[in-house]
């Protein structure tokens, strides 16, 4: 079955450093890979999408890489700030009989300390 | 501003009672979704609808029902047949997946059985 794995342990880093989160998947050939941010008690917020034919995508302090050979995506936050503390979810597209949805990983909690 | 509104934010259900969670969007999106989130778990798909008057079961549809009578609205009913309904429920929408595959989420409804 299709499986998405993200680091279950929380990632603690110091302000100003680069945070790197990992998303691995198996039994899957996604056309897209997406990253979302979720704050406690809130819905996820879409951050970035990368397509299977793209190696890297950037948006301000965020960078996503996508290696379809390794079946892995890395999500980087450079010059991290305490406000970046949240849970980050990886999601892959799934095409259903009558439409389209997403499969989500369990998320990795990031804590940035001053 | 366009977005998705979920209500109520908190909901308490007695044993054997049906409850309905509201989801309204003004983004003019065709597709709408309901996901369930449990602690330490990824989001799981309950129901999805790609177009008005049509909806499909997701991975965990048992004990739930939906309707899609209007493009803007996709209410979810949690029936007494759902044995473990305590969870965080998230509604989402998306436009044409080929053009804009990201999901826009509401802020969620936390349902507790009392």
């Amino acid at each position: 079955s299709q499986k998405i794995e993200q680091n279950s342990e929380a990632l603690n880093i110091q302000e100003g450093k680069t945070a790197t989160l990992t998303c691995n998947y198996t039994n899957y050939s996604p056309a897209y890979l997406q990253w979302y941010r979720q704050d406690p008690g809130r819905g996820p917020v879409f951050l970035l999408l990368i397509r299977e034919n793209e190696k890297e995508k950037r948006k301000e302090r965020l960078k996503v890489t996508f290696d379809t050979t390794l079946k892995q995506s890395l999500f980087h936050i450079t010059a991290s700030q305490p406000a970046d503390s949240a849970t980050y979810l990886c999601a892959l597209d799934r095409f259903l009989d009558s439409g389209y949805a997403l499969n989500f990983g369990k998320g990795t909690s990031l804590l940035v300390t001053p | 501003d366009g977005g998705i509104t979920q209500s109520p934010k908190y909901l308490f259900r007695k044993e054997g009672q049906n409850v309905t969670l509201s989801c309204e969007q003004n983004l003019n999106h065709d597709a709408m979704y309901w996901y369930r989130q449990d602690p330490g778990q990824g989001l799981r798909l309950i129901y999805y609808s790609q177009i008005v008057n049509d909806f499909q079961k997701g991975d965990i549809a048992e004990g739930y029902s939906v309707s899609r009578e209007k493009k803007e609205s996709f209410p979810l009913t949690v029936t007494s047949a759902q044995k473990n309904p305590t969870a965080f429920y998230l509604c989402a929408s998306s436009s044409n997946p080929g053009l804009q595959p990201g999901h826009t989420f509401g802020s969620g409804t936390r349902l507790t059985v009392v």
Side-chain angles (χ1 to χ4, degrees):
Chain A
S1 62
Q2 298 168 336
K3 188 181 285 189
I4 302 171
E5 293 183 351
Q6 296 185 252
N7 287 355
S8 58
E9 292 183 13
L11 179 62
N12 292 347
I13 65 167
Q14 197 172 15
E15 182 176 9
K17 303 291 186 183
T18 295
T20 299
L21 285 68
T22 305
C23 175
N24 294 296
Y25 58 93
T26 55
N27 298 323
Y28 229 138
S29 295
Y32 310 101
L33 188 145
Q34 307 180 29
W35 284 90
Y36 290 76
R37 168 183 173 140
Q38 187 175 24
D39 292 285
R42 306 298 300 271
V45 174
F46 172 77
L47 295 175
L48 276 172
L49 175 148
I50 187 165
R51 291 178 168 78
E52 61 178 337
N53 60 350
E54 298 176 319
K55 297 294 185 186
E56 183 179 296
K57 201 80 167 280
R58 292 177 185 259
K59 179 182 177 182
E60 297 173 353
R61 295 185 295 111
L62 308 180
K63 184 178 85 170
V64 173
T65 63
F66 193 13
D67 189 326
T68 56
T69 301
L70 290 179
K71 295 187 182 295
Q72 181 182 79
S73 174
L74 298 178
F75 177 79
H76 305 272
I77 305 175
T78 58
S80 59
Q81 304 166 0
D84 295 326
S85 299
T87 296
Y88 291 85
L89 308 176
C90 169
L92 282 77
D93 59 290
R94 57 183 295 198
F95 290 91
L96 303 161
D97 290 342
S98 300
Y100 162 92
L102 293 175
N103 270 341
F104 286 85
K106 296 179 182 180
T108 298
S109 176
L110 172 66
L111 178 62
V112 181
T113 54
Chain B
D1 287 336
I4 297 183
T5 301
Q6 288 188 242
S7 62
K9 188 170 177 65
Y10 299 97
L11 187 57
F12 297 90
R13 192 195 93 166
K14 294 181 180 178
E15 295 283 350
Q17 192 177 45
N18 292 355
V19 292
T20 297
L21 284 60
S22 171
C23 178
E24 303 278 334
Q25 56 104 354
N26 60 3
L27 298 165
N28 200 34
H29 285 171
D30 287 316
M32 296 188 74
Y33 311 84
W34 277 103
Y35 291 89
R36 168 179 171 145
Q37 187 174 36
D38 294 280
Q41 299 290 321
L43 278 67
R44 292 183 290 168
L45 183 65
I46 305 173
Y47 268 96
Y48 64 101
S49 169
Q50 300 296 295
I51 197 167
V52 176
N53 292 320
D54 184 60
F55 51 83
Q56 304 294 328
K57 293 181 179 180
D59 303 313
I60 55 167
E62 186 174 350
Y64 300 98
S65 65
V66 294
S67 62
R68 187 85 187 276
E69 298 176 0
K70 298 187 299 181
K71 187 175 186 178
E72 303 80 16
S73 179
F74 193 40
L76 174 74
T77 296
V78 184
T79 74
S80 57
Q82 172 48 242
K83 298 307 177 189
N84 185 22
T86 295
F88 190 47
Y89 290 86
L90 288 160
C91 179
S93 71
S94 68
S95 62
N96 187 330
L99 298 175
Q100 186 66 274
H103 278 13
T104 300
F105 282 89
S107 56
T109 293
R110 187 165 300 280
L111 174 63
T112 304
V113 174
V114 296

